[in-house]
Amino acid sequence: RHAIQLIAMFEVFSISGHYVLHDGVKSLWCSKLDGKVVPSNSTILDESLDPVCLGTCHGIVGKIKFLPESPDNLVLIADKEVVCQLHGATVQRINEIGNATSISRDHL
């Protein structure tokens, strides 16, 4: 039998121009303007950027643009559950998604 491995949670922060998904070791910087995602090895989010914690998420689904003139929206996994093990890999079901602005502090 294989042990079930759970994916770490990301804290989601909003700073000027970016959403930052941070797992305590690395982070993903997602531009609010053009939707580009850039990984970073930073372990600490600089307090001078005045980060606002929006809550937590389990990962990124992708980006979506609701209207041609609207900015890209970052779609995040808000809730998931382990379904089973399949050939040594953990299969998970996504129960709830949200965009970066709708991630609830309930997930903290």
Side-chain angles (χ1 to χ4, degrees):
R1 286 206 168 271
H2 297 280
I4 295 176
Q5 297 177 351
L6 299 178
I7 296 173
M9 295 283 287
F10 292 96
E11 287 184 288
V12 182
F13 293 93
S14 179
I15 61 170
S16 179
H18 288 85
Y19 291 109
V20 181
L21 279 71
H22 194 269
D23 71 356
V25 178
K26 297 181 181 175
S27 59
L28 288 173
W29 290 67
C30 309
S31 173
K32 292 178 182 178
L33 301 174
D34 60 15
K36 289 184 181 174
V37 178
V38 178
S40 172
N41 287 329
S42 67
T43 57
I44 299 173
L45 198 56
D46 187 352
E47 291 297 321
S48 68
L49 299 173
D50 197 25
V52 175
C53 184
L54 302 176
T56 59
C57 73
H58 294 276
I60 299 175
V61 174
K63 300 178 294 186
I64 189 169
K65 190 178 281 240
F66 293 110
L67 299 170
E69 63 277 357
S70 69
D72 287 329
N73 286 278
L74 189 63
V75 180
L76 304 172
I77 301 169
D79 187 40
K80 54 106 179 131
E81 67 181 300
V82 175
V83 176
C84 67
Q85 292 287 312
L86 184 62
H87 303 291
T90 302
V91 177
Q92 299 182 30
R93 174 187 0 232
I94 297 173
N95 294 326
E96 182 181 348
I97 62 170
N99 66 14
T101 58
S102 69
I103 292 296
S104 168
R105 292 192 62 81
D106 294 340
H107 292 287
L108 285 173

